Amino acid sequence: MDVNEHVRFLFEKYLRKECSAEEFEEMMTWLVAMDEGEKNKLSEPLKELWDKAAADKLPSTAEQVDWDGVLSKVLNADEPTVENPVDIHLPARIGWKRVAVAVVILGLIISGSILLLNRKIPVEIVKQEKPVRHLPEEIHSKGNQAILTLSNGSVIVLDSTKNGVITRQGNVKITKLDSGQLAYSSQSSNGTASSEISYNTISTPRAAQYQVILSDGTKVWLNAASSLRYPTSFSGQDRKVELTGEGYFEVTKNKDKPFHVRVGAIEVEVLGTHFNIMAYDDEAAIQTTLLEGSVKVNYNSQSEMLKPGKQASLSRTDNKMTTGDANVQQVVAWKNGYFYFDKSDVKTIMRQVSRWYDLDIVYESSAPDMKFSGKIERSLPLSGISHLLESGQIHFRIEGKNCIMMK
């Protein structure tokens, strides 16, 4: 399903009163993020839905919002006050004006799809020229890319390697699957396994991610600018790997061999579970979030047992570990192909932009004191994020690898 079909699908669900809060927020994010060309492509299907709704030909539309009344109230209000200063640029086509403006305004008032918090200032809705864009035509992520470093030091660039068996190390076969995943499978020789332990490292650059299936069946997703060091096969009494950056783990259960993830001085111990570790050097804390099962997080003399939905956070400032509730959907959004911002400040957003679009962030002045919420597909080009920020009058330009936040 392409973007236009997806928004149409969500919009129709909304008119039938079947749209969940999450789907409504997603629809609003898509609508606000669309550029002029995308709006024009989408206007006819939405106009068709509008006409059906106006004629009461869709189920459960009799009690829907008075779109014309809302639009009139918004455009003629003397001093409408909401929590965010947003400039709405109206295309000339009346079909989009009636639908998009009403939908966007309702979204901002009802669901807060894109919020700029801590401000209470009047909003002027006026027709005006779009600000000059300082972005190149498109900036995309690199998708599935990684480098595999074998135990002998040789390097394999996985995105340019054909699918199939890549190499063998001892009794282990390393295969690149049709899905793009890297998979390890142990093959015993004469019924015995090799006693020699060899280690591989898989590393993702900025703007890329990758998935590896370890020899015990454990699945690991690596986010951008991350690496995982692991044995080609697990022997002995436990299973140990080392992580930098961010990874999501689905650990195969084995009560006789606990699974350990080492992140600097932190060690996460599990038997079989699903969890995420975020440990980027430029973030304020190392966060371990549990989705399923149980994990024990150890740091020096501190130790915390986590239950599903909980998060252990180790502050880089004072080295103290705390636990609390986690926004699990936000934590694993990257693994599911989304940016998910929940009252996130500008610098938090731009750190993710830096890693996912391979850019260095430069501030011409201090970062604006604003917070945003929204859900955006990571498959979109950088313009998807720029639309989010521009809703708060925050602009940036691209100069080579530098993303310069403008005054």
Side-chain angles (χ1 to χ4, degrees), residues 78 125 140 180 196 216 272-273:
D78 293 330
I125 310 271
H140 287 272
E196 181 182 352
D216 66 336
T273 187

mmCIF file with all atom_site columns, all heavy atoms in Angstrom, residues 78 125 140 180 196 216 272-273:
data_model
loop_
_atom_site.group_PDB
_atom_site.id
_atom_site.type_symbol
_atom_site.label_atom_id
_atom_site.label_alt_id
_atom_site.label_comp_id
_atom_site.label_asym_id
_atom_site.label_entity_id
_atom_site.label_seq_id
_atom_site.pdbx_PDB_ins_code
_atom_site.Cartn_x
_atom_site.Cartn_y
_atom_site.Cartn_z
_atom_site.occupancy
_atom_site.B_iso_or_equiv
_atom_site.pdbx_formal_charge
_atom_site.auth_seq_id
_atom_site.auth_comp_id
_atom_site.auth_asym_id
_atom_site.auth_atom_id
_atom_site.pdbx_PDB_model_num
ATOM 1  N N   . ASP A 1 78  ? -11.031 35.666  15.676 1.00 0.00 ? 78  ASP A N   1
ATOM 2  C CA  . ASP A 1 78  ? -10.208 36.848  15.931 1.00 0.00 ? 78  ASP A CA  1
ATOM 3  C C   . ASP A 1 78  ? -8.865  36.468  16.499 1.00 0.00 ? 78  ASP A C   1
ATOM 4  O O   . ASP A 1 78  ? -7.828  36.885  16.007 1.00 0.00 ? 78  ASP A O   1
ATOM 5  C CB  . ASP A 1 78  ? -10.937 37.793  16.901 1.00 0.00 ? 78  ASP A CB  1
ATOM 6  C CG  . ASP A 1 78  ? -12.183 38.381  16.282 1.00 0.00 ? 78  ASP A CG  1
ATOM 7  O OD1 . ASP A 1 78  ? -12.181 38.545  15.040 1.00 0.00 ? 78  ASP A OD1 1
ATOM 8  O OD2 . ASP A 1 78  ? -13.135 38.655  17.029 1.00 0.00 ? 78  ASP A OD2 1
ATOM 9  N N   . ILE A 1 125 ? -3.806  32.301  10.894 1.00 0.00 ? 125 ILE A N   1
ATOM 10 C CA  . ILE A 1 125 ? -3.907  31.416  9.755  1.00 0.00 ? 125 ILE A CA  1
ATOM 11 C C   . ILE A 1 125 ? -4.033  32.309  8.527  1.00 0.00 ? 125 ILE A C   1
ATOM 12 O O   . ILE A 1 125 ? -5.056  32.924  8.304  1.00 0.00 ? 125 ILE A O   1
ATOM 13 C CB  . ILE A 1 125 ? -5.137  30.511  9.860  1.00 0.00 ? 125 ILE A CB  1
ATOM 14 C CG1 . ILE A 1 125 ? -5.174  29.858  11.231 1.00 0.00 ? 125 ILE A CG1 1
ATOM 15 C CG2 . ILE A 1 125 ? -5.152  29.519  8.734  1.00 0.00 ? 125 ILE A CG2 1
ATOM 16 C CD1 . ILE A 1 125 ? -4.474  28.570  11.366 1.00 0.00 ? 125 ILE A CD1 1
ATOM 17 N N   . HIS A 1 140 ? 18.035  10.604  1.416  1.00 0.00 ? 140 HIS A N   1
ATOM 18 C CA  . HIS A 1 140 ? 17.476  9.357   1.917  1.00 0.00 ? 140 HIS A CA  1
ATOM 19 C C   . HIS A 1 140 ? 18.482  8.656   2.824  1.00 0.00 ? 140 HIS A C   1
ATOM 20 O O   . HIS A 1 140 ? 19.684  8.919   2.793  1.00 0.00 ? 140 HIS A O   1
ATOM 21 C CB  . HIS A 1 140 ? 17.125  8.413   0.757  1.00 0.00 ? 140 HIS A CB  1
ATOM 22 C CG  . HIS A 1 140 ? 15.922  8.829   -0.024 1.00 0.00 ? 140 HIS A CG  1
ATOM 23 N ND1 . HIS A 1 140 ? 14.642  8.445   0.317  1.00 0.00 ? 140 HIS A ND1 1
ATOM 24 C CD2 . HIS A 1 140 ? 15.802  9.594   -1.137 1.00 0.00 ? 140 HIS A CD2 1
ATOM 25 C CE1 . HIS A 1 140 ? 13.785  8.950   -0.555 1.00 0.00 ? 140 HIS A CE1 1
ATOM 26 N NE2 . HIS A 1 140 ? 14.450  9.654   -1.446 1.00 0.00 ? 140 HIS A NE2 1
ATOM 27 N N   . GLY A 1 180 ? 17.909  -10.385 3.222  1.00 0.00 ? 180 GLY A N   1
ATOM 28 C CA  . GLY A 1 180 ? 18.971  -9.440  3.533  1.00 0.00 ? 180 GLY A CA  1
ATOM 29 C C   . GLY A 1 180 ? 19.588  -9.664  4.897  1.00 0.00 ? 180 GLY A C   1
ATOM 30 O O   . GLY A 1 180 ? 20.559  -9.008  5.253  1.00 0.00 ? 180 GLY A O   1
ATOM 31 N N   . GLU A 1 196 ? 37.696  -24.194 19.406 1.00 0.00 ? 196 GLU A N   1
ATOM 32 C CA  . GLU A 1 196 ? 38.218  -22.843 19.194 1.00 0.00 ? 196 GLU A CA  1
ATOM 33 C C   . GLU A 1 196 ? 37.071  -21.864 19.022 1.00 0.00 ? 196 GLU A C   1
ATOM 34 O O   . GLU A 1 196 ? 36.144  -22.089 18.236 1.00 0.00 ? 196 GLU A O   1
ATOM 35 C CB  . GLU A 1 196 ? 39.108  -22.818 17.962 1.00 0.00 ? 196 GLU A CB  1
ATOM 36 C CG  . GLU A 1 196 ? 39.710  -21.451 17.678 1.00 0.00 ? 196 GLU A CG  1
ATOM 37 C CD  . GLU A 1 196 ? 40.549  -21.441 16.406 1.00 0.00 ? 196 GLU A CD  1
ATOM 38 O OE1 . GLU A 1 196 ? 40.779  -22.524 15.846 1.00 0.00 ? 196 GLU A OE1 1
ATOM 39 O OE2 . GLU A 1 196 ? 40.962  -20.347 15.991 1.00 0.00 ? 196 GLU A OE2 1
ATOM 40 N N   . ASP A 1 216 ? 22.659  -19.476 17.762 1.00 0.00 ? 216 ASP A N   1
ATOM 41 C CA  . ASP A 1 216 ? 21.667  -20.105 18.630 1.00 0.00 ? 216 ASP A CA  1
ATOM 42 C C   . ASP A 1 216 ? 20.241  -19.747 18.241 1.00 0.00 ? 216 ASP A C   1
ATOM 43 O O   . ASP A 1 216 ? 19.290  -20.143 18.917 1.00 0.00 ? 216 ASP A O   1
ATOM 44 C CB  . ASP A 1 216 ? 21.914  -19.700 20.092 1.00 0.00 ? 216 ASP A CB  1
ATOM 45 C CG  . ASP A 1 216 ? 21.666  -18.209 20.324 1.00 0.00 ? 216 ASP A CG  1
ATOM 46 O OD1 . ASP A 1 216 ? 21.753  -17.435 19.341 1.00 0.00 ? 216 ASP A OD1 1
ATOM 47 O OD2 . ASP A 1 216 ? 21.395  -17.812 21.477 1.00 0.00 ? 216 ASP A OD2 1
ATOM 48 N N   . GLY A 1 272 ? 15.818  -15.729 28.020 1.00 0.00 ? 272 GLY A N   1
ATOM 49 C CA  . GLY A 1 272 ? 15.136  -15.692 26.733 1.00 0.00 ? 272 GLY A CA  1
ATOM 50 C C   . GLY A 1 272 ? 14.089  -14.612 26.785 1.00 0.00 ? 272 GLY A C   1
ATOM 51 O O   . GLY A 1 272 ? 13.168  -14.696 27.591 1.00 0.00 ? 272 GLY A O   1
ATOM 52 N N   . THR A 1 273 ? 14.207  -13.601 25.954 1.00 0.00 ? 273 THR A N   1
ATOM 53 C CA  . THR A 1 273 ? 13.322  -12.443 26.101 1.00 0.00 ? 273 THR A CA  1
ATOM 54 C C   . THR A 1 273 ? 13.494  -11.492 24.932 1.00 0.00 ? 273 THR A C   1
ATOM 55 O O   . THR A 1 273 ? 14.363  -11.684 24.085 1.00 0.00 ? 273 THR A O   1
ATOM 56 C CB  . THR A 1 273 ? 13.645  -11.714 27.427 1.00 0.00 ? 273 THR A CB  1
ATOM 57 O OG1 . THR A 1 273 ? 12.693  -10.703 27.643 1.00 0.00 ? 273 THR A OG1 1
ATOM 58 C CG2 . THR A 1 273 ? 15.020  -11.108 27.390 1.00 0.00 ? 273 THR A CG2 1
#
